[in-house]
Amino acid sequence: MELTLDRVTKHYGSKIACDRISLTLHPGVYGLLGANGAGKTTLMRMMCGVLVPTFGSITYDGIDVSCEDYRDALGYLPQEFGYYPEFSALDFMLYIATLKGIPKLRAREKARELLELVSLEKEAKKKIKTFSGGMKQRLGVAQSMLNDPKILILDEPTAGLDPKERVRFRNLISRLGADRIVLLSTHIVSDVEHIAGTILVMKDGRLIHQGALEEIIRTIEGRVWECIVPQALVDSLCERYPAINMRQEGKDVFLRLVGDEKPCDSAIAVQAALEDLYLYYFSEVNAK
Ligand SMILES: Nc1ncnc2c1ncn2[C@@H]1O[C@H](COP(=O)(O)OP(=O)(O)OP(=O)(O)O)[C@@H](O)[C@H]1O
Ligand SMILES: [Mg+2]
């Protein structure tokens, strides 16, 4: 089972939303990380066959994703998912099952099973308008699984979840990734920290890194700095280097910064961590 992207590119007029992305996915969980506008949704929509690339190809075991058969293998949770507030969770599941052409009896059985999987079995008869953000997201994942997809594409499934819901969600995704390709996008590094075997980092339409979390963190090794500087230097340093941490130390200020070169004489390079990663790659301040 293999999903292959070969130089996938999308232009919107003169805007290049995805730029020559090549990638091969196997069963497992992939975390697509990128700031707002990086091109995550554009890429995912192309991977679902709902948006046609300007250049490049996407194939599933050699078959183009625009092919009908691919739809049967795919589950998709769009970023802007339209729920029907007056529907109960169960009715909603049955409705989506009808759209997917799943026979009635099978649909009922599958809907129950999936609501249980996402821990919504007790809420099956409740109207969606009474659901929390996290409950809706879990329902969104449940509907994407109705056709038992081999490929599951979830666009920011953790948006709006509280910490408890995040944990539940992660556990659910880990289980789903055991025997299928799961790709989820987020801009929260910690959402994919424990569950994604492979992290894909996207910036300005390009795939700038892919690998295990440790490998990605290694790319910023030697680029994380700590220093104690006089108050007068803080502003100019922070304008040039994204600051992860800042605290008053007597008259001076302790700073943790990211940047390619040593920000000041007294700075020492320190071990890189997860939160540094995000700032290094996605901060508005130009770290590179
Ligand atoms: N239909 C469209 N027409 C023109 N430009 C578009 C269109 N859709 C997206 N874009 C642009 O393409 C770029 C990538 O957008 P995309 O929605 O893929 O990013 P994203 O990584 O999903 O962002 P977010 O984290 O905000 O969801 C952005 O600059 C966006 O403005
Ligand atoms: Mg998006």
Side-chain angles (χ1 to χ4, degrees):
M1 202 198 321
E2 196 173 88
L3 188 64
T4 311
L5 286 75
D6 184 21
R7 288 162 289 169
V8 173
T9 300
K10 183 71 193 179
H11 292 183
Y12 291 116
S14 61
K15 168 89 199 168
I16 305 175
C18 288
D19 192 7
R20 288 163 291 168
I21 294 180
S22 294
L23 183 66
T24 304
L25 308 179
H26 294 113
V29 180
Y30 293 79
L32 179 60
L33 217 55
N36 285 129
K40 304 181 295 295
T41 297
T42 303
L43 183 67
M44 288 180 139
R45 294 185 68 212
M46 289 192 285
M47 291 171 80
C48 292
V50 296
L51 188 68
V52 182
T54 312
F55 304 113
S57 66
I58 309 177
T59 52
Y60 174 56
D61 286 344
I63 302 163
D64 196 89
V65 296
S66 59
C67 172
E68 274 292 315
D69 291 347
Y70 178 68
R71 296 285 157 90
D72 296 336
L74 177 76
Y76 177 38
L77 174 65
Q79 186 168 5
E80 310 280 342
F81 190 59
Y83 297 92
Y84 293 79
E86 295 297 331
F87 275 39
S88 71
L90 182 61
D91 288 342
F92 181 70
M93 290 290 280
L94 296 175
Y95 170 70
I96 301 287
T98 309
L99 295 183
K100 291 190 177 185
I102 299 165
K104 254 196 178 132
L105 258 173
R106 174 86 192 111
R108 198 159 270 281
E109 191 184 322
K110 196 72 198 165
R112 292 253 177 224
E113 179 190 317
L114 287 170
L115 287 173
E116 197 174 319
L117 180 75
V118 299
S119 313
L120 283 175
E121 69 274 20
K122 289 202 188 77
E123 284 83 12
K125 297 271 171 64
K126 288 194 186 146
K127 285 189 178 178
I128 298 173
K129 69 178 179 193
T130 67
F131 281 15
S132 72
M135 289 161 80
K136 280 187 211 155
Q137 295 291 59
R138 278 186 274 132
L139 179 61
V141 175
Q143 67 76 31
S144 71
M145 300 274 300
L146 273 163
N147 55 337
D148 236 333
K150 286 287 158 218
I151 301 165
L152 195 56
I153 296 185
L154 310 171
D155 198 352
E156 299 206 20
T158 56
L161 302 198
D162 70 27
K164 204 171 137 207
E165 286 172 332
R166 286 200 129 74
V167 173
R168 268 171 105 161
F169 198 83
R170 276 181 217 158
N171 295 340
L172 169 64
I173 301 297
S174 295
R175 262 182 289 150
L176 298 181
D179 56 354
R180 68 194 91 220
I181 296 170
V182 180
L183 173 66
L184 68 137
S185 70
T186 177
H187 22 230
I188 301 166
V189 187
S190 58
D191 274 351
V192 290
E193 179 184 3
H194 302 291
I195 54 167
T198 308
I199 307 243
L200 309 168
V201 185
M202 243 184 126
K203 184 173 182 170
D204 301 332
R206 307 189 64 175
L207 187 64
I208 57 170
H209 285 294
Q210 57 174 300
L213 183 69
E214 309 80 69
E215 290 166 345
I216 306 277
I217 289 182
R218 221 173 290 143
T219 63
I220 60 163
E221 212 61 71
R223 297 183 163 96
V224 184
W225 310 90
E226 286 183 354
C227 52
I228 294 177
V229 296
Q231 183 71 52
L233 281 182
V234 171
D235 283 353
S236 77
L237 276 174
C238 292
E239 262 167 36
R240 285 178 296 140
Y241 305 93
I244 289 129
N245 214 323
M246 190 187 293
R247 68 170 181 265
Q248 208 70 35
E249 296 257 330
K251 277 188 187 151
D252 295 333
V253 179
F254 166 89
L255 292 173
R256 183 181 174 102
L257 307 160
V258 290
D260 284 344
E261 79 267 19
K262 194 170 173 160
C264 61
D265 282 346
S266 64
I268 50 162
V270 294
Q271 174 101 47
L274 201 61
E275 55 203 345
D276 306 317
L277 187 81
Y278 193 86
L279 268 193
Y280 182 78
Y281 286 118
F282 307 131
S283 168
E284 292 302 314
V285 176
N286 194 10
K288 290 175 278 295

